Amino acid sequence: RAEGAGADETLRARLDTYAPLQGHYYAHPPQFERGWREMLIDTEGRHYLDMVNNVTALGHGHPVLADAVAQQWRMLNTNSRFNYASVAELSARLLETLPDGFDTVLLVNSGTEAVDLALRLTKAFTGRDDVACVEESYHGWSYAADAVSTSTSDNPLAAELRAPWVHAFDAPNAYRGTHRGEDAGQRYAADAVAELERLAAAGTPVGTFIAEPRNGNAGAIEVPTAYLSAVYEAVRAGGGVVISDEVQVGYGRQGDVFWGFEQHAGPGGEPIVPDVVTVAKAMGNGHPLGAVITRSEIAQALADQGTFFSSAGGSTLSARLGVTVLDIMRDDRLQENAREVGGYLREQLLGLAERQPLIGAIHGRGLYQGIELVRDRETLEPAAAETLALCDRMLAIGIVVQPTGDRGNVLKVKPPLCFTKESADTFVAALDEVLTRGL
Ligand code: PMP
């Protein structure tokens, strides 16, 4: 159907068959048919710089990955209950990236599945239904993953429809939240600990705390270190366990760390370690692949109640692909590139913020950044309409960038990890030009 059809015709065909549920980028999206590194190319042959593709982390059209996938398809792809080497290799390679104590890898097909399975595991392990999470977060679309997704940008009724077993802590945002400045982390943590105590006293003690180690959905917002270490400690002291959702911010994207939780430390500088890690997106470079990584005692608790099995999760093909993604990340030095080019991009953006008053803050690190647009740097009034208009103008000059967050005023910047300094310059110059001309 799409072959030979114009972009508008394809969009109409898509809208005719999709329920109104499923959104897409842009009112008049280009029709992409090809990708190369951090570029997308449409059916007219026009090139666009892709600033949003954190799924295709290696870059579009990676030949080594394409060859490995083609070869594996010709050899074998089958149900994950069979015995094959790549699944063992992928599990071992994932465990190598994590601290001691992690010994169990469960392969699934998406971030949502990883979060859903993680919640089943922790529920079985703790014997408790109650889950704590943070406001302005997204964790997936399944019944359980959606229940702990608090972001109103995806679901405006998230707060009204909240399940009674879900308890959302205030979003620990030191830039525009309830507590700001130096000791914001401690103050957010004190609020969260008080809420944990209240829930325990009410007979609904929290069994699981799930959070991203950087709030990706909100726009790469820093989670204060003092916050995460204190909340982890309090949840565990109360008999619960913690899940670090690394689907969006993990897997080398932040440059100086492979996993997002590694950017945090306790008060004495000691590392903080979650009980369960969920990962997807970059892990499959856009192919459906995700994982839950945990300790065997936690997995055993679910095994005591039943089984877990996914036909295609970690199939012969997916596992081979997962190993190849890790090989390419190592061989192309993509985490190092995220650190280096991400650092360069951040510097350029901070320079731009000095010239452009609409930019209120640059969040994030490595190749996971958020450009927050505000009408007034004192009141922090969100410049949501301007952010949308900016994205349309950027598209017109060949740059794909999108708003995120509950206020729709943060540009998410998460290009493929092969991003170059030249592309960073192109992006910053384009932003400068559009902002200077006015929105
Ligand atoms: N967790 C986080 C933090 C995410 O950002 C997402 C997807 N945006 C998910 C889970 C769900 O992943 P998927 O879309 O692969 O189901």
Side-chain angles (χ1 to χ4, degrees):
R1 165 85 205 178
E3 205 142 292
D8 287 347
E9 202 186 322
T10 304
L11 181 63
R12 258 195 314 278
R14 175 176 176 173
L15 294 179
D16 282 351
T17 52
Y18 277 37
L21 268 172
Q22 202 166 19
H24 57 86
Y25 292 145
Y26 301 116
H28 298 286
Q31 187 173 339
F32 294 126
E33 70 172 0
R34 205 173 276 273
W36 179 249
R37 294 183 59 95
E38 69 266 42
M39 302 304 292
L40 290 165
I41 303 152
D42 74 9
T43 42
E44 315 278 301
R46 197 158 178 237
H47 288 50
Y48 296 80
L49 185 60
D50 179 1
M51 298 304 297
V52 301
N53 235 302
N54 66 340
V55 173
T56 317
L58 305 179
H60 298 287
H62 201 294
V64 176
L65 189 66
D67 287 351
V69 168
Q71 191 201 37
Q72 188 62 50
W73 259 121
R74 283 196 300 269
M75 293 261 293
L76 178 71
N77 184 31
T78 186
N79 188 304
S80 65
R81 277 195 209 250
F82 286 103
N83 183 21
Y84 42 90
S86 53
V87 77
E89 190 182 349
L90 178 57
S91 303
R93 293 278 293 275
L94 287 169
L95 292 176
E96 272 170 25
T97 66
L98 283 157
D100 289 348
F102 287 95
D103 57 9
T104 300
V105 179
L106 302 168
L107 296 172
V108 294
N109 304 285
S110 68
T112 298
E113 288 185 31
V115 167
D116 204 283
L117 178 60
L119 290 169
R120 279 184 67 204
L121 286 164
T122 57
K123 183 179 170 196
F125 183 66
T126 60
R128 295 183 187 171
D129 288 331
D130 289 80
V131 177
C133 52
V134 296
E135 293 286 4
E136 301 185 26
S137 304
Y138 179 79
H139 296 289
W141 53 261
S142 70
Y143 195 80
D146 173 63
V148 297
S149 293
T150 52
S151 170
T152 53
S153 66
D154 291 297
N155 178 3
L157 297 179
E160 285 86 335
L161 299 179
R162 191 151 297 159
W165 51 273
V166 175
H167 312 283
F169 297 149
D170 198 3
N173 181 332
Y175 173 67
R176 67 156 61 249
T178 314
H179 306 303
R180 303 181 191 178
E182 283 285 288
D183 63 346
Q186 283 90 337
R187 288 190 281 152
Y188 281 116
D191 292 350
V193 171
E195 179 65 358
L196 286 169
E197 284 165 0
R198 188 189 68 73
L199 289 165
T204 50
V206 163
T208 305
F209 172 63
I210 180 167
E212 288 186 279
R214 167 177 302 281
N215 194 334
N217 179 75
I221 309 295
E222 186 88 31
V223 173
T225 273
Y227 175 80
L228 212 60
S229 62
V231 175
Y232 273 27
E233 191 181 315
V235 168
R236 284 171 172 152
V241 292
V242 301
I243 300 172
S244 184
D245 185 351
E246 301 275 351
V247 167
Q248 187 139 190
V249 302
Y251 237 63
R253 177 158 286 279
Q254 293 193 53
D256 47 359
V257 288
F258 188 81
W259 297 108
F261 69 80
E262 294 174 283
Q263 80 191 51
H264 294 275
E270 65 282 5
I272 66 159
V273 181
D275 301 288
V276 183
V277 167
T278 51
V279 59
K281 290 193 193 280
M283 185 185 168
N285 198 51
H287 175 88
L289 177 61
V292 178
I293 312 173
T294 187
R295 300 192 302 272
S296 49
E297 55 173 338
I298 294 178
Q300 187 59 48
L302 187 59
D304 291 343
Q305 296 179 359
T307 57
F308 156 69
F309 165 64
S310 168
S311 301
S315 67
T316 339
L317 178 71
S318 294
R320 169 85 188 275
L321 178 138
V323 170
T324 310
V325 166
L326 285 169
D327 287 346
I328 294 171
M329 284 192 68
R330 179 196 60 211
D331 296 345
D332 292 359
R333 302 182 64 252
L334 292 180
Q335 186 181 331
E336 289 87 335
N337 193 62
R339 184 178 55 222
E340 204 181 305
V341 178
Y344 175 79
L345 174 63
R346 184 174 164 79
E347 269 170 37
Q348 303 307 306
L349 289 172
L350 288 170
L352 184 65
E354 283 172 21
R355 300 196 293 284
Q356 297 292 355
L358 200 65
I359 299 181
I362 307 296
H363 305 290
R365 64 209 271 171
L367 287 174
Y368 201 95
Q369 300 190 27
I371 305 170
E372 179 149 3
L373 303 185
V374 295
R375 292 188 184 142
D376 181 316
R377 286 184 176 173
E378 288 298 311
T379 65
L380 305 184
E381 186 189 349
E386 292 87 337
T387 309
L388 257 187
L390 180 73
C391 292
D392 282 336
R393 303 279 172 85
M394 293 289 273
L395 184 73
I397 55 173
I399 294 178
V400 175
V401 64
Q402 286 293 318
T404 193
D406 283 13
R407 294 160 208 86
N409 71 320
V410 187
L411 289 175
K412 46 183 169 182
V413 173
K414 44 193 182 91
L417 299 182
C418 59
F419 199 61
T420 60
K421 287 187 181 167
E422 290 72 27
S423 291
D425 287 341
T426 303
F427 174 63
V428 175
L431 262 183
D432 200 6
E433 186 182 324
V434 171
L435 288 170
T436 301
R437 287 189 181 191
L439 293 165

